[in-house]
Amino acid sequence: MDGINVCEDGEVLGVQSSSVERQQIDIGKRIFCNSAVNMKNIVAVGFDMDYTLAQYKPDTFESLAYDGTVEKLVTNLGYPKELLEWSFDWTYMVRGLVLDKKRGNILKMDRHKYVKVAYHGFRLISKNEKVATYGSTFTRDAFDGPDYAHIDTLFSLAEAYLFAQLVDFKDTSPGKISEAKDYSRIYSDVRSAVDMCHRDGTLKEMVAKDPKKYINEDNSIVPMLKMLKTSGRAVFIVTNSLWDYTNVVMNFVFGARTMDGSSSLSLDWLQHFDFVITGSAKPGFFHDENRANIFMVETDSGKLVNTDNGTPLAQVGGPALELPDQIPNKHCKVFQGGNVGHLHKLLNVGSSSQVLYVGDHIYGDILRSKKILGWRTMLIVPELEKEARILSSSWETRKKLQLLRIEREQIEDQTHHLKWSLDHGNLDGVEKEDTSSKLEILEVQGARVRAAHQESQRSYHQKFHPVWGQLMKTGYQNSRFAHQVERFACLYTSQVGNLGLYSPAKYYRPGEDFMAHESDVLTR
């Protein structure tokens, strides 16, 4: 986002106008760039629905998912009834964590896969125990194996919290959970219960009855989509949700907010899109070799119509096929299933790099679409709005931390030098006594500065989250989640509507990368 802005006719406006554009946009609403995206070359923009176009309220929606999962554990999987008295703290878990299913641990690690923060259930694991368990290279390299689960989507926060509760419960209440159920089996049961909730439709029925309770209102989405359409882009949705639920959610997102359970649904929202693909089964959808059939959806009835790569087929022995003109914008077509090959034919794009896809899930939306297809990608990170604002207001704190770290390193260097002189230097008695005295003073000073630095750093990270700290950092290193964002998201921002704050012809350029030696020299 630090790059030069470009006019519709391609003329350069200059660095100053780009700087002015940034200053006028709230820090929490800005779009940040990892890999260059020239919007003039983008001919189609696609969106996920859940947690992208539709932002769910964690205090209500995730609590609903949590309560449903607990109920399934008790009713279907034989867990004690006292679980029904448990409650969900939706503020506790964050994205980017890794569950060690075998040990019952929850981990936050840096981009090099070093574990920086670890809990067993809700018990903080000591530094020595953490190093003993996760200090070997072999263990670090295994974090992607079957014994680990990644919390990379907001949908997963409730199940991670429930897993931590069950780990504590198993440890503190022997016999309440069968001895045959180890931590891994407990996690599998939680996942099974989550799947049951989604399969029986309970969650979606509750959302459909009262969308306002579970979905945030966002008045920026319609203007953003109108801007994209007016600028000549094709606009589409690819979602794993089926048509009935998609229609309910999109009716709310696009303004039908007085709707109750008995209200009729409008199809007016379809005017903002060229294609809507429901039931896509991402991330499998992004594999062209995926042989899934694509069906057209009759939007009034929800019935599926056989197609040949998207073109409706007449039924054998039936009358000539005449689909009713049900959609206000008849150019919009709704489909279910299929794969990315079908979508490319519908969009008629010449190159995958001409497609920008916007989603919230690193693996389900972003990684496959960029790595396999070469699409341009934008990741939605709602947590970023708070984080960016805290960063923006913490300049003095960060400067203090920097000075404390420099002072700490200088004292450590002097201490090591004096110790070396004592151990290996050819010092006489007076020199040894003088060096020992200096060393003693330095060690006291070093302990004081080290404690002040550690406490300041701990206090700083707790501004972001009291347990897990800054989402994108672990200490001074980028977190595992930040590393994924950097690798797979060309652009990232807090809300999908932020795209409408920038010109549809903007050239997003990343900032300059720095090696360690460059950063050390240039930040003096």
Side-chain angles (χ1 to χ4, degrees):
M1 64 170 291
D2 293 327
I4 296 174
N5 199 21
V6 182
C7 294
E8 294 288 348
D9 58 5
E11 293 181 359
V12 174
L13 293 175
V15 175
Q16 185 176 2
S17 65
S18 180
S19 177
V20 170
E21 180 185 54
R22 288 200 311 276
Q23 291 171 5
Q24 292 174 343
I25 298 175
D26 181 274
I27 184 68
K29 302 290 186 182
R30 293 181 192 172
I31 294 175
F32 302 96
C33 179
N34 292 318
S35 180
V37 176
N38 186 353
M39 289 297 293
K40 288 176 68 69
N41 296 332
I42 299 297
V43 301
V45 181
F47 299 90
D48 180 34
M49 184 181 75
D50 298 310
Y51 278 113
T52 300
L53 289 172
Q55 279 295 327
Y56 294 96
K57 298 177 181 180
D59 55 329
T60 55
F61 182 79
E62 292 303 327
S63 294
L64 180 66
Y66 171 90
D67 291 340
T69 303
V70 169
E71 193 275 332
K72 298 296 183 189
L73 283 173
V74 173
T75 304
N76 297 75
L77 298 174
Y79 279 74
K81 289 184 178 180
E82 59 197 276
L83 270 63
L84 298 172
E85 300 172 5
W86 290 2
S87 60
F88 172 52
D89 180 359
W90 62 270
T91 66
Y92 185 88
M93 292 295 177
V94 297
R95 279 200 285 181
L97 302 177
V98 175
L99 304 188
D100 182 340
K101 295 185 285 186
K102 185 169 66 174
R103 299 181 178 91
N105 295 342
I106 304 168
L107 318 174
K108 183 179 181 184
M109 59 189 69
D110 68 16
R111 64 190 181 97
H112 302 293
K113 293 187 177 181
Y114 286 101
V115 176
K116 296 295 187 178
V117 184
Y119 281 80
H120 179 76
F122 294 107
R123 175 182 65 82
L124 180 65
I125 295 175
S126 69
K127 182 178 179 180
N128 290 339
E129 184 183 351
K130 181 178 64 181
V131 171
T133 307
Y134 300 108
S136 71
T137 302
F138 176 80
T139 302
R140 283 204 315 278
D141 289 344
F143 284 135
D144 292 327
D147 289 332
Y148 299 90
H150 299 162
I151 307 304
D152 291 318
T153 171
L154 294 170
F155 277 121
S156 301
L157 300 185
E159 67 187 65
Y161 187 81
L162 181 54
F163 176 66
Q165 285 181 301
L166 287 167
V167 167
D168 273 4
F169 186 67
K170 179 176 176 60
D171 292 346
T172 59
S173 304
K176 291 291 185 71
I177 296 179
S178 168
E179 291 298 323
K181 292 182 184 289
D182 57 11
Y183 300 129
S184 292
R185 178 61 183 275
I186 288 173
Y187 177 79
S188 296
D189 286 346
V190 171
R191 280 297 320 148
S192 297
V194 170
D195 290 341
M196 289 178 199
C197 289
H198 287 289
R199 281 200 302 269
D200 70 10
T202 303
L203 298 182
K204 293 181 178 180
E205 285 177 7
M206 294 295 290
V207 174
K209 287 179 180 178
D210 189 5
K212 189 172 184 176
K213 181 178 179 180
Y214 301 104
I215 304 174
N216 287 317
E217 298 180 16
D218 188 347
N219 295 323
S220 68
I221 292 178
V222 171
M224 178 270 294
L225 292 173
K226 286 182 176 178
M227 182 191 76
L228 291 175
K229 293 277 283 184
T230 303
S231 66
R233 272 77 173 188
V235 183
F236 64 93
I237 292 176
V238 176
T239 175
N240 286 351
S241 293
L242 297 178
W243 165 249
D244 55 348
Y245 185 69
T246 300
N247 195 24
V248 168
V249 172
M250 288 293 93
N251 264 269
F252 176 79
V253 168
F254 287 89
R257 293 175 184 145
T258 59
M259 181 184 66
D260 58 32
S262 62
S263 301
S264 60
L265 297 173
S266 167
L267 297 174
D268 291 345
W269 64 272
L270 288 170
Q271 66 187 289
H272 300 292
F273 301 96
D274 296 279
F275 301 101
V276 174
I277 297 182
T278 63
S280 62
K282 293 177 296 180
F285 178 87
F286 294 122
H287 289 277
D288 199 10
E289 65 271 16
N290 173 18
R291 299 290 81 181
N293 293 323
I294 186 168
F295 300 92
M296 179 173 278
V297 178
E298 290 185 356
T299 52
D300 279 345
S301 66
K303 292 181 180 179
L304 304 182
V305 177
N306 288 326
T307 73
D308 178 13
N309 287 324
T311 302
L313 292 173
Q315 300 297 312
V316 175
L321 185 70
E322 292 183 7
L323 288 180
D325 185 12
Q326 310 147 330
I327 305 173
N329 178 355
K330 63 183 179 182
H331 298 295
C332 180
K333 295 180 180 179
V334 181
F335 297 93
Q336 178 175 311
N339 61 33
V340 71
H342 297 123
L343 178 60
H344 280 173
K345 289 178 182 177
L346 292 170
L347 295 173
N348 194 28
V349 293
S351 168
S352 291
S353 62
Q354 294 177 305
V355 179
L356 172 68
Y357 188 66
V358 186
D360 71 289
H361 194 317
I362 284 284
Y363 288 102
D365 295 321
I366 302 302
L367 186 153
R368 299 283 180 91
S369 56
K370 181 177 181 179
K371 195 171 181 179
I372 295 175
L373 302 177
W375 285 4
R376 299 295 183 254
T377 55
M378 176 185 282
L379 182 70
I380 301 302
V381 188
E383 309 96 313
L384 187 64
E385 186 165 350
K386 174 187 172 183
E387 296 239 336
R389 287 177 179 157
I390 294 175
L391 280 171
S392 180
S393 64
S394 301
W395 185 88
E396 290 186 1
T397 302
R398 290 172 58 81
K399 187 65 177 177
K400 176 185 175 183
L401 280 169
Q402 184 182 20
L403 293 174
L404 281 171
R405 192 183 192 197
I406 291 171
E407 184 180 5
R408 182 178 174 180
E409 289 178 350
Q410 289 174 342
I411 292 173
E412 286 175 351
D413 289 344
Q414 293 174 40
T415 300
H416 293 320
H417 178 74
L418 291 177
K419 284 183 176 179
W420 178 267
S421 297
L422 284 172
D423 293 340
H424 304 285
N426 190 17
L427 305 179
D428 60 26
V430 174
E431 289 174 327
K432 279 190 175 181
E433 186 176 342
D434 183 54
T435 301
S436 295
S437 178
K438 289 179 180 178
L439 178 60
E440 196 173 309
I441 293 171
L442 271 178
E443 286 179 334
V444 171
Q445 186 180 357
R448 175 183 57 79
V449 173
R450 181 170 62 253
H453 180 232
Q454 290 173 342
E455 180 56 35
S456 295
Q457 191 174 30
R458 185 182 303 110
S459 176
Y460 174 64
H461 281 284
Q462 285 177 342
K463 288 183 178 181
F464 297 89
H465 193 279
V467 178
W468 304 105
Q470 193 174 347
L471 181 69
M472 299 290 187
K473 292 287 183 185
T474 52
Y476 286 96
Q477 293 286 303
N478 282 352
S479 65
R480 171 185 167 275
F481 182 73
H483 184 53
Q484 293 171 330
V485 173
E486 190 175 36
R487 288 179 66 195
F488 302 120
C490 300
L491 308 172
Y492 63 103
T493 190
S494 61
Q495 303 289 338
V496 68
N498 299 344
L499 192 57
L501 300 176
Y502 294 79
S503 164
K506 182 172 177 61
Y507 199 142
Y508 296 92
R509 291 187 175 92
E512 183 179 358
D513 288 338
F514 290 108
M515 293 285 289
H517 70 284
E518 295 174 304
S519 179
D520 193 51
V521 171
L522 296 174
T523 56
R524 282 183 180 178

